[in-house]
Amino acid sequence: MKSVINNEKLGEIVFEESAWTGKKKISIAGKPLTKVDKTTYKTEDEKTATLSGNFIQGCKMTFEGETIELTPSVKWYEYLLSILPFIFIMIWGNIAALCEIVPVVGGAVGGLISAIFSCVNLVIIKRFKQWWLKLIISIITLGLTFLVCYLIALAILAIAA
């Protein structure tokens, strides 16, 4: 995820963080900072910048006594939208009457599949700013989760028959 912040004192700050590996890159006023250790970076004139946080918590940079927010933390509604696929499959997969209507795989397999889709949903919606776009993406993710669990249930029922 890439974010660009305009600061009065420092100018343009460009921060990039991989959601999957956690690798971070930062530049101030077009000049990349050199990584010293996991959270410390240095400018060309040996000034130190310290990063704290991550993709989920939100990332902040402390530079010359000033703390600058580089990425916002995950909002409560983003967490809610992201756990819906997991909750939905766990409930649907454990109610026999619902599985007679539309079978879905539940239990450990359904839990694993829906947890993966929940994590992917969180990573994807974190990249967007509009709440309505986050909602649409989350509904699509919920539908895909249901479809995958349905197809796996059909495959299991076909093998068992």
Side-chain angles (χ1 to χ4, degrees), residues 35-101:
K35 187 174 185 174
V36 176
D37 60 35
K38 188 175 180 180
T39 60
T40 308
Y41 292 78
K42 290 213 182 243
T43 62
E44 290 175 348
D45 54 349
E46 297 299 314
K47 293 180 182 176
T48 303
T50 305
L51 298 180
S52 61
N54 58 29
F55 182 76
I56 301 296
Q57 297 172 333
C59 194
K60 294 181 171 104
M61 175 181 74
T62 305
F63 187 76
E64 296 183 329
E66 182 181 0
T67 301
I68 302 161
E69 185 179 81
L70 300 174
T71 59
S73 61
V74 176
K75 310 285 188 283
W76 66 270
Y77 61 88
E78 293 172 334
Y79 281 122
L80 180 66
L81 289 172
S82 294
I83 64 168
L84 282 178
F86 181 77
I87 292 171
F88 187 76
I89 293 299
M90 288 295 97
I91 291 172
W92 192 289
N94 287 306
I95 298 176
L98 291 174
C99 284
E100 286 179 16
I101 299 168

